[in-house]
Amino acid sequence: MNAIEVQNLTRDFNGLRAVDGISFEVQPGEVFGFLGPNGAGKTTTIRMLTGQLRPTAGTARVMGCDVVTQRDALKPQIGVVFEYQNIYERLSARDNLLFAARLYGVPKARIDAVLKQVGLDERANDRSKNYSNGLKQRLLIARALLHEPKVLFLDEPTRGLDPNVARDIRAFVTDLARQGVTVFLTTHYMEEADRLSDRVAILHKGKIVALDTPARLKAARGGEQTTVAFSSLEDVFVALTGSSLRQTFEE
Amino acid sequence: MSTHLRIIWAITLKDITDAIKNRTILTALLSMFFLIGMYRVLPLLESIGEAPNILVYDAGNSILVALMENSRAFKAWTGYQSEAHMKEKLANGQAPELGLVIPADFDAGNGTVLQGYVLYWVNEKDAVALKQRVEAEISRLAGRSISIQLEGNTIYMQPDSSGFGLLAGLGMSFTILMIGVSLVPNLMLDEKQGKTIDALLVSPAGPVHVTLAKALAGLFYAAVTIAVALALYNRLITHGWLTLGVMLCGALFAVALGLLLGSLTESRQQLTVLGWGVVILLFLPMMLVMVRNLLPTWLYAILRWTPSVALLEALRISFSHQPTFALYRLPLALILAWTAVLLVSVAWRVRQADR
């Protein structure tokens, strides 16, 4: 069984097509990079795959659960790290996790394990409002992992973090993949996608314009215009989407 | 079932513990306590240093009444057509007052023991102090020893009595409704503004769990406020279970209103604007009902259908001596009907917002 199966997934907003009939599969334990400029439909896709948004057309299954009709069965199988730091800032990391543990019916003993796993054990009882961005991001990851999901959705997990924290989080993703967790990753950092992802899909204007391993994408010839291989995933991205990463990021 | 309860309880518990650290919620709660306390003590504070009111029914044409009207020891109110009329007015008292009956043959030297009346909520110490003060003054005025008989002469409020009962009803209604307008929507807004609602909705919690949990947290705050109100007004309450029941119905309405406001607004600015509109719609009818005698009959008939007036009336009925079911069934049915309408609207909003 594939971890994620998407068939002709489409979503319209007030007549505008945000996601346009995309199809792909993600294998269990795979790190799947999902790239695209702002407004390409990445977050909309994640919202559909995590049951937050109903597709206009098409189907999606995560761990065999239909994201529309089997949401209750889907939710315990997935963990989501959002692109924004949506934690309860008046609560400590421990209390945030205690709340999540109660929601998922996870034993409290697991909280200490996860806190240690993400390196938050020493600040666990501090009010999370006082955490740095890096610590908050660790808390988000801890919350997403608390119930040991089979599929982890990471939406821009290293955005705005200092290089050391970003490196820790990348190492963390690699470890999770080794443990068999499927990771669905969106990022603006091509190097990150290149290094972490087993396969990469590039989304442009709601459509998947490329889907392959980073190595194959780089090796692919740029159509009739060029006969040389791309030197980086960023070159592939720019060639396919027509927008530079810097421009995309600044948008 | 147990999973659903666990999820709802988890969110409720989080909201309750979070409130202790949430300045907005804490400030709102403390404001409620202040408000309800203010309604309780303000009438009493007003009467401090003032001569007490004595409502005198003169069955004959006693010279004592004229002397009492000029006394500085108390403020004598006279001119009642009957003893019943005097008692009816006494029931409208805001501070400890004494009702007194001067028998027709008082000037002939009869009647050394006068019948005196106090409201049931006046504590015994105050009643005795008032009695002794009036006894001393009228003994001096009459030139002979007069005593006042209070035992067995307790006056209870009627459903339409004003005074302390009306003020207490207003204070309680205002506080309960403000929980709905200010506290409950803030619980929902907090989740929306912090985007923690997204994390909730990818967890096993669904929109229905979130809504029910917020309702429970709102009811918890309402219960705390109701407990404070019952403690502060305990002397006023004659039928505890009925008053509690009415307040809980009011709390249900307030929470349903809060949930609807929370589901309709996305920011504190929106909530402030909408909240004030709702406050005016709820409180204006209550204020108008206070001057009921000045209102056209048709306007009063309309105002009675508003949930806030129904709550106020149900509370006043619960404070009265004999609150029969026939009296309180209409206001209670109205509150519950409004609650049902609001809950249906919330359910519709939640369903609409669900993806």
Side-chain angles (χ1 to χ4, degrees), chain B residues 47 51-55 75 77 80 86 89-100 116-122 126-127 130-131 134 150 155 163:
Chain B
S47 65
N53 288 328
I54 309 298
L55 284 68
K75 222 182 281 174
W77 298 82
Y80 301 108
M86 181 272 287
K89 293 296 175 189
L90 184 64
N92 293 337
Q94 290 187 9
E97 296 175 348
L98 186 84
L100 198 63
Y117 298 87
V118 284
L119 271 162
Y120 70 96
W121 50 261
V122 178
D126 288 345
L130 187 58
K131 172 181 135 79
V134 177
L150 283 184
I155 298 292

Side-chain angles (χ1 to χ4, degrees), chain A residues 71-73 75-76 88 99 102-105, chain B residues 1-15 184 187-188 191 196-197 199-219 255 259 343 346-347 349-351 354:
Chain A
R71 270 199 303 171
D72 288 347
K75 286 174 168 187
Y88 295 100
F99 170 52
R102 286 187 180 127
L103 278 180
Y104 285 93
Chain B
M1 188 64 187
S2 65
T3 306
H4 295 305
L5 290 178
R6 187 196 73 224
I7 293 166
I8 293 167
W9 180 236
I11 302 170
T12 303
L13 205 59
K14 186 269 297 172
D15 280 341
V184 178
L187 292 177
M188 297 184 90
E191 302 278 7
T196 45
I197 190 76
L200 271 180
L201 294 179
V202 296
S203 80
V208 177
H209 295 118
V210 176
T211 307
L212 288 176
K214 300 291 170 191
L216 269 183
L219 282 176
V255 166
L259 292 177
L343 286 177
V346 171
R349 280 289 302 172
V350 168
R351 222 180 143 71
D354 185 16

Side-chain angles (χ1 to χ4, degrees), chain B residues 41-104:
Chain B
V41 298
L42 211 57
L44 302 177
L45 288 177
E46 268 180 3
S47 65
I48 288 176
E50 295 281 316
N53 288 328
I54 309 298
L55 284 68
V56 186
Y57 169 61
D58 183 11
N61 213 352
S62 176
I63 188 95
L64 178 66
V65 175
L67 295 170
M68 286 176 77
E69 281 173 342
N70 293 320
S71 169
R72 287 185 179 179
F74 44 66
K75 222 182 281 174
W77 298 82
T78 58
Y80 301 108
Q81 295 137 12
S82 64
E83 191 176 325
H85 185 213
M86 181 272 287
K87 288 177 182 171
E88 186 192 320
K89 293 296 175 189
L90 184 64
N92 293 337
Q94 290 187 9
E97 296 175 348
L98 186 84
L100 198 63
V101 177
I102 312 289

Side-chain angles (χ1 to χ4, degrees), chain A residues 62-80:
Chain A
V62 177
M63 296 309 294
C65 303
D66 187 285
V67 297
V68 176
T69 59
Q70 295 173 297
R71 270 199 303 171
D72 288 347
L74 163 77
K75 286 174 168 187
Q77 316 247 29
I78 60 169
V80 185

Side-chain angles (χ1 to χ4, degrees), chain B residues 31-261:
Chain B
S31 307
M32 304 294 157
F33 297 156
F34 174 76
L35 202 70
I36 206 158
M38 195 189 71
Y39 272 94
R40 174 69 178 87
V41 298
L42 211 57
L44 302 177
L45 288 177
E46 268 180 3
S47 65
I48 288 176
E50 295 281 316
N53 288 328
I54 309 298
L55 284 68
V56 186
Y57 169 61
D58 183 11
N61 213 352
S62 176
I63 188 95
L64 178 66
V65 175
L67 295 170
M68 286 176 77
E69 281 173 342
N70 293 320
S71 169
R72 287 185 179 179
F74 44 66
K75 222 182 281 174
W77 298 82
T78 58
Y80 301 108
Q81 295 137 12
S82 64
E83 191 176 325
H85 185 213
M86 181 272 287
K87 288 177 182 171
E88 186 192 320
K89 293 296 175 189
L90 184 64
N92 293 337
Q94 290 187 9
E97 296 175 348
L98 186 84
L100 198 63
V101 177
I102 312 289
D105 54 357
F106 183 81
D107 288 357
N110 293 325
T112 51
V113 179
L114 303 184
Q115 293 302 309
Y117 298 87
V118 284
L119 271 162
Y120 70 96
W121 50 261
V122 178
N123 71 48
E124 203 180 329
K125 196 178 141 204
D126 288 345
V128 169
L130 187 58
K131 172 181 135 79
Q132 287 171 347
R133 181 175 184 164
V134 177
E135 277 175 345
E137 179 65 1
I138 57 175
S139 295
R140 186 184 70 78
L141 294 172
R144 65 177 200 261
S145 177
I146 308 278
S147 62
I148 296 170
Q149 159 83 37
L150 283 184
E151 288 74 32
N153 287 346
T154 305
I155 298 292
Y156 289 90
M157 287 190 295
Q158 298 304 311
D160 58 351
S161 293
S162 54
F164 195 29
L166 176 62
L167 275 179
L170 270 175
M172 289 179 180
S173 306
F174 195 82
T175 312
I176 291 172
L177 294 173
M178 282 308 284
I179 284 176
V181 178
S182 65
L183 277 184
V184 178
N186 269 310
L187 292 177
M188 297 184 90
L189 268 182
D190 259 6
E191 302 278 7
K192 286 183 190 175
Q193 294 204 308
K195 295 186 177 176
T196 45
I197 190 76
D198 292 342
L200 271 180
L201 294 179
V202 296
S203 80
V208 177
H209 295 118
V210 176
T211 307
L212 288 176
K214 300 291 170 191
L216 269 183
L219 282 176
F220 170 79
Y221 298 133
V224 172
T225 313
I226 287 171
V228 171
L230 291 178
L232 280 174
Y233 290 94
N234 69 326
R235 293 203 66 83
L236 191 74
I237 293 160
T238 50
H239 301 83
W241 287 110
L242 180 60
T243 306
L244 181 65
V246 171
M247 291 182 91
L248 286 176
C249 286
L252 270 179
F253 168 79
V255 166
L257 177 66
L259 292 177
L260 186 62
L261 287 176

